[in-house]
Structures are given as C-alpha cells and as structure tokens.
Amino acid sequence: MDVLKYEMPLLTGSVQSLEAFKGKVVLIVNTASQCGFTPQFQGLEELYKKYEDQGLVVLGFPCNQFGKQEPGGSEEIGAFCEKNYGVTFPVFEKVEVNGEGAAPLYKDLTKAAPGLMGTKKIKWNFTKFLLNRQGEVVGRYAPTTKPEELEASIKDLLAQS
C-alpha cells in the first residue's frame, strides 16, 4: 500500500508531496505541543539529525484530537517546536488521525498497521509509523515508545537498499 501518495500542507502553508520521500526511511508521528509525551520532540530531532544524511526523514503531524493538547494555529505550533526543541524536520498543518475527518494518510497508515487487537484507531499523541525505503509501513509504535528505542530498526532499514 502506497501511503506516500498524498500532498500535505506544511506549517509554512506550502504543500509538500510525500512522494518526495520515497527512497528514504520515513518516521511519521502525530504530535502535540501540550502533551506528556511532548519531550519526545527532542528524541525525534536527534534521530533526524543523526541519520538524515543516510536517508531518514521524520514527518510531524500535529493533532488536537487527544485532550485538546494542540490548540494553537500553524504559526504557534511552528514557533513552539523550533523554540523548545529546535525541530528542523518537516512539520505539517494540524490533521485529524481518527474518525470521519481523519486525513487519508492516517486512514492508510492505520489500515497498513493496525494497533493492538486489530484496532485501526490511534490511541494518543506520538503514535509512530516507520516506513521502509519503498514507502511500506513496517512498524507501528505506541506513544510510550521513545524515539531512541527505534534507532536499531531505523539503522536496519537504512542499511537496506
């Protein structure tokens, strides 16, 4: 299933084709600025900086569906990510990840990698999806999984052509 077939708006307002990331290892994360897991931005940025040259890209998708922990607009979200965590990886405009209004990207991600007991629902902020260089979902990780815990899997995928 090709989950990278979409074009999505970045926080800056420009539109990014996700197909541009084919050939890279992609980590997709639904984020929030006011969540207990928000400090994971630091680990995500560290992974991105460490492996960007080898082909890793981290994509952040802010979401306000869990405890209303992402109430701000695009400018606010971008300023928060940059100021507090020095985020340089692409961050997109706010999306919904569950329900009728869920972004088609997230409908595809949850279909390709259902959660516990086959549920397609995203449980909370900072759920992570790892894609190989062919754009296939190879892993889904809980919000409690710290970014650094994905490093071995990322290195394995980066080593594959």
Side-chain angles (χ1 to χ4, degrees):
M1 175 184 300
D2 181 10
V3 300
L4 295 178
K5 62 187 173 209
Y6 300 103
E7 291 189 348
M8 306 285 289
L10 291 158
L11 286 179
T12 58
S14 62
V15 174
Q16 172 67 59
S17 167
L18 300 185
E19 289 200 339
F21 302 118
K22 278 207 176 129
K24 295 184 179 289
V25 172
V26 181
L27 182 60
I28 296 176
V29 187
N30 64 305
T31 63
S33 301
Q34 299 175 12
C35 175
F37 297 116
T38 300
Q40 287 189 21
F41 270 120
Q42 183 175 348
L44 293 167
E45 179 64 18
E46 286 170 5
L47 279 175
Y48 179 60
K49 281 195 168 136
K50 186 171 182 179
Y51 295 105
E52 179 185 15
D53 291 346
Q54 295 173 51
L56 173 69
V57 66
V58 176
L59 305 178
F61 288 90
C63 179
N64 195 38
Q65 285 186 291
F66 306 100
K68 303 214 182 308
Q69 296 178 340
E70 190 60 276
S74 295
E75 204 171 290
E76 244 181 301
I77 294 167
F80 173 86
C81 292
E82 195 174 317
K83 177 181 171 232
N84 294 293
Y85 297 100
V87 169
T88 59
F89 58 80
V91 179
F92 294 80
E93 284 187 4
K94 242 190 302 199
V95 297
E96 289 189 11
V97 298
N98 286 329
E100 288 296 309
L105 167 66
Y106 268 87
K107 287 181 180 177
D108 283 356
L109 288 169
T110 56
K111 190 174 177 184
L116 233 47
M117 300 174 53
T119 179
K120 290 188 173 57
K121 212 169 167 198
I122 301 285
K123 246 198 287 196
W124 203 256
N125 301 309
F126 290 89
T127 296
K128 299 157 199 73
F129 292 89
L130 188 59
L131 283 62
N132 64 18
R133 291 183 186 272
Q134 290 72 46
E136 300 161 332
V137 180
V138 295
R140 175 178 174 157
Y141 303 90
T144 52
T145 304
K146 293 182 170 86
E148 50 272 23
E149 294 175 51
L150 304 179
E151 190 166 5
S153 297
I154 289 169
K155 283 170 68 171
D156 286 348
L157 290 172
L158 289 170
Q160 299 170 17
S161 54

